[in-house]
Amino acid sequence: MTDLTVPKTILAQLGGESFVMASGATGLIGGADSLTFKLGRNPQRVTHVRVTLTSDGLYDMTFFTTGKGPQSHDGIHPEMLQEVFSVNTGLYRALRASA
């Protein structure tokens, strides 16, 4: 059975349940070192996002868009996850991290 500590932490750093409601995220799948989810409508037409914890404690974010190759952003500090998400999806709502 997979330990869900990392995906739960990633979700909390993105904003927890408030993030899920504001982004329309569904189908959250937690892995040993990652969280992947599907997005609702957004200006950049991103369909899925994967956030992966790296060995140095930073995150890699990959944005998937239909008809385009994935766009990856590597070495993201935890406090920058929301900003990188917003810039890449066009969802600029005030998402606040749950402690």
Side-chain angles (χ1 to χ4, degrees):
M1 179 169 229
T2 303
D3 177 10
L4 297 178
T5 303
V6 171
K8 286 181 179 180
T9 300
I10 293 170
L11 182 58
Q13 290 171 334
L14 284 168
E17 290 300 318
S18 296
F19 169 80
V20 172
M21 295 298 292
S23 67
T26 61
L28 284 77
I29 300 172
D33 64 350
S34 66
L35 176 66
T36 304
F37 51 90
K38 183 177 179 180
L39 280 182
R41 289 186 182 189
N42 60 84
Q44 299 299 327
R45 297 183 174 166
V46 173
T47 59
H48 294 80
V49 178
R50 180 183 311 125
V51 184
T52 305
L53 178 64
T54 63
S55 60
D56 57 2
L58 300 177
Y59 292 101
D60 295 342
M61 290 184 85
T62 306
F63 298 88
F64 300 89
T65 307
T66 302
K68 294 183 181 178
Q71 293 185 339
S72 294
H73 300 273
D74 301 335
I76 301 168
H77 290 269
E79 62 274 5
M80 298 299 295
L81 286 174
Q82 290 181 13
E83 181 177 340
V84 173
F85 175 84
S86 292
V87 167
N88 285 276
T89 62
L91 298 173
Y92 291 100
R93 299 190 173 124
L95 304 172
R96 301 191 56 94
S98 55

